[in-house]
Amino acid sequence: MDESVSGGVAAQREQLAEALRAYGASFTELGRRFAAQIGVHSTDAFALLEIASAEASGVPLSPVLLGHRIPLSSGAMTALLNRLERAGHVIRTREHTDRRLVTLRSTPQAKERAEAFFGPVNARQDAVLSRYPSELLQQLETVLTQLRSTMDTQLTGEAGDG
C-alpha cells in the first residue's frame, strides 16, 4: 500500500478514535449523572440502560446476556440485579417455556426516569443526525460496527492468551 495512503488512513483512524473517546467520555459522564439522580452506582445504571435498550429493540436480555455486555462475575451480576430490583428499577420474569430462563425488564418508573433524563439530549442528538442523509448514517454505523469487531477480536484473542 502507498505510504501516503496508509499514513492518511492511520491519521483518520486516530482522529476518529479521539472523537469516539471524547464522545465516550461524555456518554460515561452522562451515565454517571443519571446514576446519581436515581441513587445507584454507575455500573448499576449502565446495566439498567442496557436492559432498557435491549427491551426497546425487542430483544430483552437475560442475566447471562447482560453479563456479555457488562463483564461481571455471576455473583456480582446477581448482586447488581438484586439492587436494581429492590430499588424498583428492574423486574425478572419467566416468559419462556423453559422456566429456568429469566428475562430482565425495566419497570415503567425506570423508563419514565430515563426518558425524563435522556430525552433532551436524545432530541438534540436527533437534530444533529437529521442533518445527514440516512445512507451516510448507515455507512457510519457499519464502520463503527466493523471497528468494534476488530477490538472484540483482539480482546477475545487476549483472553485466550492468559
Side-chain angles (χ1 to χ4, degrees):
M1 179 179 282
D2 184 316
E3 188 173 311
S4 65
V5 171
S6 66
V9 169
Q12 285 180 317
R13 176 182 40 78
E14 284 299 321
Q15 289 173 341
L16 181 58
E18 180 53 36
L20 289 170
R21 280 191 291 271
Y23 181 86
S26 295
F27 182 84
T28 298
E29 177 59 16
L30 199 62
R32 190 196 63 74
R33 290 181 187 188
F34 176 64
Q37 185 181 77
I38 65 171
V40 300
H41 186 275
S42 59
T43 302
D44 295 14
F46 282 111
L48 177 58
L49 294 173
E50 288 290 339
I51 291 165
S53 176
E55 190 177 1
S57 73
V59 187
L61 296 176
S62 67
V64 170
L65 292 175
L66 179 60
H68 293 306
R69 296 180 181 204
I70 298 177
L72 296 173
S73 69
S74 64
M77 181 60 70
T78 297
L80 179 151
L81 292 172
N82 287 343
R83 288 190 303 271
L84 287 176
E85 195 169 41
R86 276 193 308 272
H89 299 306
V90 169
I91 57 173
R92 294 179 237 200
T93 62
R94 298 189 189 283
E95 303 170 8
H96 305 277
T97 54
D98 182 345
R99 303 294 292 160
R100 296 172 294 177
L101 297 178
V102 173
T103 300
L104 303 171
R105 297 216 178 255
S106 55
T107 64
Q109 299 87 343
K111 290 175 189 171
E112 288 172 16
R113 291 186 82 177
E115 178 54 36
F117 186 87
F118 290 102
V121 72
N122 288 344
R124 287 191 296 277
Q125 289 184 353
D126 289 349
V128 169
L129 293 173
S130 72
R131 298 180 203 149
Y132 297 92
S134 62
E135 298 79 20
L136 178 61
L137 297 176
Q138 288 169 346
Q139 289 174 339
L140 179 58
E141 182 181 352
T142 298
V143 168
L144 291 174
T145 299
Q146 291 172 350
L147 288 172
R148 179 179 178 197
S149 177
T150 65
M151 288 196 182
D152 289 347
T153 298
Q154 179 68 29
L155 292 170
T156 301
E158 287 177 2
D161 293 342

